[in-house]
Amino acid sequence: MWDGINRLGDGRVDYDWAFTYCQGVFLGAGVELYRVTREQKYADAALRTAGACIHRLCDPDTLLLPDEGIDDTGLFKGILIRYFAQLEKQFPGAIPVREVILANADALWNKGLDHRSVLCGPSWELKPILPVQLSVQLSGLMLLEGAAVMQRRSTSSELE
């Protein structure tokens, strides 16, 4: 999914503008449409988008999502994480989104979270530089929530 269609008024798509929130919103819509209609084409689109997103936007060695900055962009990764978690719940193990969520949460928890203030920055592998913005904090919280859900599902399935 691309952002910046006709951004410059030239009728062109900005193929270098790919943001995590665009991927998240699209794949989230696919998951929801699949839930409502049970039409496989929506599931296929969501899974294809998630795979492309991981391939294009995650660091290939660490699976970490990019630092997209502050202001509106500070919330972008949180939007993707929210819909990654929904995708994993609907289609467990189909795409390695669980691994992406857990790798990013591990980086945030062990490197990027200031445990004293409980604040994070736009890079989940670097301590925050004050002041921090609410949008950035929301992304970090969505990540930790998504990881907690993944961990809880793993624990409950191991107990069964």
Side-chain angles (χ1 to χ4, degrees):
M1 298 310 319
W2 307 107
D3 193 83
I5 297 172
N6 200 34
R7 177 177 59 99
L8 301 175
D10 58 4
R12 298 171 60 176
V13 175
D14 294 323
Y15 289 109
D16 58 338
W17 269 39
F19 297 106
T20 53
Y21 87 94
C22 297
Q23 315 312 309
V25 171
F26 183 81
L27 72 89
V31 169
E32 195 59 33
L33 285 166
Y34 174 77
R35 280 186 198 150
V36 171
T37 68
R38 292 294 183 210
E39 291 185 39
Q40 189 61 39
K41 66 182 178 182
Y42 298 121
D44 293 343
L47 293 165
R48 185 176 53 252
T49 300
C53 178
I54 292 168
H55 176 74
R56 182 173 172 140
L57 298 178
C58 290
D59 180 282
D61 297 321
T62 63
L63 295 178
L64 293 182
L65 291 162
D67 174 347
E68 291 177 301
I70 59 171
D71 300 323
D72 288 349
T73 60
L75 186 57
F76 287 5
K77 290 187 293 191
I79 293 167
L80 175 64
I81 291 295
R82 167 186 273 169
Y83 295 118
F84 265 179
Q86 289 181 10
L87 182 78
E88 176 63 18
K89 182 178 179 183
Q90 185 70 47
F91 307 105
I95 298 288
V97 296
R98 182 180 193 282
E99 291 83 354
V100 171
I101 292 171
L102 294 178
N104 280 269
D106 183 67
L108 175 59
W109 189 259
N110 292 307
K111 297 178 186 175
L113 188 67
D114 180 333
H115 289 271
R116 194 172 127 261
S117 64
V118 196
L119 295 173
C120 65
S123 169
W124 288 338
E125 57 186 333
L126 299 174
K127 297 277 189 234
I129 298 171
L130 299 177
V132 297
Q133 294 182 326
L134 179 60
S135 60
V136 172
Q137 300 314 299
L138 290 171
S139 278
L141 183 61
M142 289 177 188
L143 172 62
L144 294 177
E145 177 188 33
V149 168
M150 298 290 136
Q151 295 286 12
R152 189 174 61 231
R153 272 195 216 125
S154 293
T155 305
S156 64
S157 65
E158 289 171 6
L159 296 173
E160 293 174 354

